[in-house]
């Protein structure tokens, strides 16, 4: 059987962070575990991939190369089991109430919800329609509301940044 050998190989170069801040930052930093976890969580948000209506097109374009949500550590994920953010992008019709609630309950804690667009916020153009829920917060708790019909990708990006700020605030104040 062939033998597999390993050598020291190439030494990795210093990262940009090491080059710029390395000499200035002390080797040991103290913080609370809540803030450490908060920093990790806000920098690696996994958003559940699903869309309900036209706002979903804007959400998809936010993931594409021009806006590049990856640089915020945001990964879109096809299962609720590993996702921690639900972006409700589109009109919440009444027949989708149960599936949305089920998906939310399948997500592990801690988890967050962004209501993207007027429809998800309060029914939008379908306000008081017989078939539309007047905001997804009638079904599940919402952390961030992004206004617009539809909101542009920049608005969703801003919503993500506000969510990251909220996660850090919560980690300082209530240990989540
Ligand atoms: S807010 Fe406007 S763009 Fe978004 S789902 Fe509703 S109607 Fe469509």
């Amino acid at each position: 059987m062939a033998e597999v050998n390993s050598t020291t190989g190439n030494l990795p170069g210093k990262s940009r962070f090491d080059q710029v801040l390395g000499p200035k930052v002390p080797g040991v930093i103290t913080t609370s575990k809540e803030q450490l976890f908060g920093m990790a969580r806000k920098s690696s948000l996994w958003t559940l991939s699903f869309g309900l209506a036209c706002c979903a097109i804007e959400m998809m374009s936010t993931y594409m190369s021009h806006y590049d949500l990856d640089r915020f550590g945001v990964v879109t994920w096809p299962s609720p089991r590993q996702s921690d953010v639900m972006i409700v992008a589109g009109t919440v019709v009444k027949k989708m109430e149960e599936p949305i609630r089920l998906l939310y309950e399948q997500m592990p804690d801690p988890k967050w919800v962004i209501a993207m667009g007027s429809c998800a916020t309060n029914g939008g153009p379908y306000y008081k329609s017989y078939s539309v829920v007047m905001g997804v917060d009638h079904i599940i708790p919402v952390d961030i509301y992004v206004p617009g019909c539809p909101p542009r990708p920049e608005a969703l990006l801003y919503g993500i940044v506000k969510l990251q700020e909220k996660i850090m605030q919560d980690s300082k104040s209530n240990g989540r």
Side-chain angles (χ1 to χ4, degrees):
M1 196 163 68
E3 201 174 313
V4 178
N5 294 317
S6 67
T7 67
T8 50
N10 293 319
L11 283 176
K14 284 194 170 185
S15 70
R16 191 85 186 111
F17 178 83
D18 281 332
Q19 290 170 21
V20 176
L21 291 178
K24 298 177 189 158
V25 176
V28 176
I29 300 173
T30 56
T31 182
S32 67
K33 77 174 187 317
E34 285 81 13
Q35 287 190 52
L36 187 65
F37 290 169
M39 206 180 304
R41 284 173 182 142
K42 72 134 184 148
S43 307
S44 59
L45 296 172
W46 287 24
T47 58
L48 179 59
S49 309
F50 81 106
L52 296 173
C54 11
C55 273
I57 304 295
E58 299 294 319
M59 178 182 71
M60 285 181 243
S61 65
T62 317
Y63 288 114
M64 298 295 111
S65 54
H66 186 75
Y67 294 98
D68 191 16
L69 256 184
D70 280 19
R71 63 202 159 108
F72 294 86
V74 178
V75 171
T76 179
W77 199 251
S79 163
R81 304 284 182 198
Q82 295 88 21
S83 302
D84 50 9
V85 181
M86 177 186 276
I87 301 176
V88 183
T91 318
V92 184
V93 291
K94 286 184 179 163
K95 72 176 180 183
M96 286 302 290
E97 268 184 66
E98 274 311 307
I100 290 173
R101 191 178 291 119
L102 178 65
L103 284 171
Y104 179 78
E105 284 168 3
Q106 286 176 335
M107 290 165 62
D109 279 315
K111 55 193 169 188
W112 301 274
V113 175
I114 296 177
M116 179 182 179
S118 314
C119 284
T121 300
N122 64 2
Y126 307 104
Y127 186 65
K128 292 201 173 163
S129 161
Y130 72 98
S131 60
V132 173
V133 179
M134 296 296 102
V136 73
D137 53 6
H138 287 272
I139 310 171
I140 53 176
V142 172
D143 299 278
I144 301 287
Y145 296 87
V146 180
C149 178
R152 283 188 52 84
E154 292 90 340
L156 181 58
L157 277 176
Y158 186 63
I160 296 274
V161 170
K162 295 310 277 182
L163 178 61
Q164 290 179 324
E165 287 174 12
K166 181 177 189 294
I167 292 170
M168 282 314 289
Q169 282 295 331
D170 289 350
S171 72
K172 284 178 195 163
S173 54
N174 61 18
R176 260 187 80 192

